[in-house]
Amino acid sequence: MDNTPAATFKQYPIGLGYTLWLAFIASLHGSRWQAQAQLHGNAPFSQWLDRHTQTPHGLWLHMPQVLGFVLGIVSMAGALTYSGTKPVNIWLMLGVFCALPLITMLWTVKHVLAGPHNRAQSWWVKYFNHSMIKHFGLSSPLPHTPTLAPWLMWRLQLGAASFHIAAMLTFSLILLFNDVAFGWSSTLISDPAAIHGFFNIISLPWQGLILSPSLALLEQTQFFYSQEASPSASSEHWWPHLLFALFFYGLAPRLALCVWLKHRAQRAFRLELDHNLHIQRFLRACHQVTSHNAKSTGALEANPHTSTPVLSGTSYAPTHSPTHAQTHDTEPNAVFTLPQNAHLLVWQRTLKLTGLSSKTLGTQSWQHDEQWLSQQDFNTASLKDSGMSTPIIIVVHAEQTPTAELSDLIALIKTPAQLLLLCGAAQASQLKSWQYFAREHHLTLQVASHIASGPTPPEPQL
């Protein structure tokens, strides 16, 4: 049996599996997760999930279905309120439980096909992120995950399907224990023949079971609110058409949409598991306890510049080390002089330098940073023509940890960049994780303690 993290998550249903995945990512936000991973070693990954992850309880996970079911009961009970004098207007039934759901489903399909940018800015995504921060006790949102939007949309559609199921059940129960009359009334349309063709069209899905509403039925069940109207005996012929309409234009399309969204969420989740750096970090931390014995630990302390990886705040290591990756191991107490044309991108810090402007990334939402990077033109073509070096410099601090979100932002730059690591002499042992990160993303790594923008190097305020 495969006990790797990716295989473990894939064996769960998508609803529970993705929730466990978010809990796993949240567990890596702690300060002691790496020491716990060392103790975990090569034990089955399912044991880690049981011991170190805090999953949302079942009621929270199924809250959309619960709310949808309650709203379906309340809405249908309100729509079928019958005074005994005026019949229930079938336009209300068709509008609330058929037309409106079809419009929202079309909007959902358009929203899904529009791309990840629009989905990530939706209100339910922001609310879910806020709920995750509160539930797991985090100080910042979870890293960007491409499965979040399709998974949330699928869960919301399950809630909408529960709404239609509850509405149909309530409709059947009220008709079973109450005598409800149906009719139609319109301020703008008074001729039954004008809407006869419309009802013939919408009843096509069930015409093989019962006949479509006849013109005589439309004439007999028309009523006016301005006049005293007693329900016609023919009004009882409307309920089968309404029940079929609830199914064919409400529940059935919603279930089909749920199946489609679930498939998209499963595909996105599997791709995320197969190409995710959180799992690499976790496995690297677990592997260090089995590959390091007391002898190697003593050798590492005696020679801190050995090539054996050391444990940093967050180990971020690739499964291989590209030979063409460039790393310039400058001394930690060196000063790095910025080119005059440098584009300075600072990761989750504010860097104040006289005469130089910088852009801070990672402190606002992922969508904000992604949109900003997509709109930038770093003038790389003109710089190449003039023979100048690549001016894009990403500034990080040794006390920070490489994350998947930073990796995604670097991928959006799509131009050669340098990674500048601000590191003091006491933080030299934390270089390894950033070296692995630089090799993984083919970045030139520079290490310095200060940044100079002119003759007098100012102290960066981080």
Side-chain angles (χ1 to χ4, degrees):
M1 181 178 179
D2 193 351
N3 289 318
T4 61
T8 302
F9 287 116
K10 289 178 182 179
Q11 73 182 4
Y12 291 103
I14 179 64
L16 178 60
Y18 184 67
T19 308
L20 291 173
W21 170 249
L22 293 178
F24 168 69
I25 297 178
S27 69
L28 303 186
H29 276 57
S31 58
R32 298 180 54 85
W33 77 269
Q34 231 171 359
Q36 294 170 347
Q38 286 190 359
L39 296 176
H40 180 76
N42 291 328
F45 181 73
S46 57
Q47 295 181 7
W48 173 275
L49 290 179
D50 295 337
R51 295 175 182 176
H52 303 287
T53 58
Q54 178 186 1
T55 57
H57 50 76
L59 181 60
W60 184 92
L61 184 61
H62 299 287
M63 186 60 68
Q65 292 95 304
V66 175
L67 290 178
F69 198 86
V70 173
L71 288 176
I73 295 175
V74 174
S75 300
M76 182 57 71
L80 292 182
T81 301
Y82 176 48
S83 62
T85 56
K86 301 291 185 180
V88 176
N89 198 336
I90 61 174
W91 290 119
L92 174 64
M93 302 290 297
L94 296 176
V96 173
F97 300 99
C98 297
L100 185 60
L102 284 177
I103 294 175
T104 58
M105 281 185 281
L106 291 175
W107 177 85
T108 300
V109 173
K110 177 181 179 297
H111 200 61
V112 171
L113 299 178
H117 301 282
N118 294 333
R119 294 198 305 266
Q121 297 176 358
S122 301
W123 64 267
W124 58 78
V125 175
K126 297 179 181 178
Y127 176 78
F128 187 81
N129 283 330
H130 176 74
S131 301
M132 287 289 97
I133 295 174
K134 184 177 180 180
H135 176 79
F136 292 115
L138 304 177
S139 58
S140 61
L142 293 177
H144 175 70
T145 163
T147 313
L148 178 59
W151 184 84
L152 274 180
M153 297 185 74
W154 168 61
R155 302 300 300 183
L156 290 174
Q157 291 304 316
L158 285 179
S162 298
F163 171 88
H164 289 286
I165 293 175
M168 293 185 63
L169 291 176
T170 305
F171 181 86
S172 302
L173 289 175
I174 290 179
L175 264 63
L176 180 62
F177 298 104
N178 291 276
D179 184 17
V180 181
F182 297 95
W184 69 277
S185 180
S186 175
T187 303
L188 302 178
I189 302 175
S190 59
D191 185 10
I195 60 173
H196 181 239
F198 169 76
F199 280 101
N200 285 337
I201 294 175
I202 66 171
S203 61
L204 285 175
W206 61 86
Q207 282 185 3
L209 301 175
I210 57 175
L211 296 177
S212 61
S214 62
L215 180 59
L217 177 61
L218 292 171
E219 294 174 345
Q220 294 170 6
T221 56
Q222 184 181 15
F223 68 95
F224 299 93
Y225 283 103
S226 59
Q227 302 175 0
E228 289 293 335
S230 58
S232 171
S234 302
S235 62
E236 63 184 16
H237 296 292
W238 274 114
W239 75 263
H241 296 284
L242 293 176
L243 187 61
F244 280 119
L246 291 175
F247 177 78
F248 283 103
Y249 295 108
L251 181 59
R254 191 73 72 177
L255 292 177
L257 184 59
C258 286
V259 173
W260 180 58
L261 291 175
K262 181 180 180 181
H263 173 72
R264 290 180 63 90
Q266 287 177 327
R267 183 177 60 181
F269 189 37
R270 289 181 177 273
L271 289 175
E272 182 176 350
L273 291 176
D274 293 337
H275 305 87
N276 194 273
L277 297 176
H278 292 291
I279 294 179
Q280 295 181 18
R281 293 167 55 203
F282 175 79
L283 293 178
R284 183 68 188 179
C286 292
H287 177 69
Q288 287 180 350
V289 70
T290 59
S291 62
H292 288 70
N293 51 30
K295 181 177 179 180
S296 63
T297 302
L300 179 62
E301 293 176 353
N303 184 10
H305 299 288
T306 181
S307 60
T308 304
V310 298
L311 184 61
S312 63
T314 298
S315 178
Y316 193 109
T319 55
H320 63 282
S321 298
T323 58
H324 57 279
Q326 298 181 6
T327 303
H328 299 287
D329 291 330
T330 309
E331 292 296 328
N333 59 356
V335 177
F336 181 82
T337 303
L338 289 172
Q340 294 182 354
N341 61 327
H343 296 282
L344 204 60
L345 307 179
V346 187
W347 177 242
Q348 294 182 339
R349 292 292 189 275
T350 300
L351 191 63
K352 297 181 180 179
L353 291 173
T354 305
L356 285 178
S357 61
S358 62
K359 171 64 177 178
T360 299
L361 300 176
T363 57
Q364 302 188 51
S365 66
W366 161 265
Q367 294 78 23
H368 175 273
D369 293 342
E370 186 178 24
Q371 183 179 8
W372 185 86
L373 286 173
S374 63
Q375 295 175 350
Q376 298 308 305
D377 181 7
F378 293 112
N379 299 320
T380 55
S382 60
L383 291 171
K384 289 180 180 179
D385 294 339
S386 60
M388 302 180 69
S389 60
T390 303
I392 304 174
I393 301 177
I394 304 170
V395 181
V396 296
H397 198 278
E399 67 183 17
Q400 295 175 301
T401 57
T403 63
E405 185 178 4
L406 176 58
S407 175
D408 293 340
L409 289 176
I410 291 176
L412 292 176
I413 297 177
K414 298 180 180 179
T415 54
Q418 297 182 33
L419 187 65
L420 175 59
L421 177 63
L422 296 181
C423 178
Q427 298 170 317
S429 61
Q430 297 177 301
L431 295 177
K432 289 296 180 180
S433 60
W434 285 110
Q435 289 174 348
Y436 283 128
F437 184 83
R439 293 188 185 119
E440 178 74 7
H441 296 86
H442 313 297
L443 300 174
T444 300
L445 176 64
Q446 300 283 352
V447 182
S449 60
H450 295 41
I451 297 179
S453 59
T456 303
E459 181 75 14
Q461 300 178 7
L462 298 179

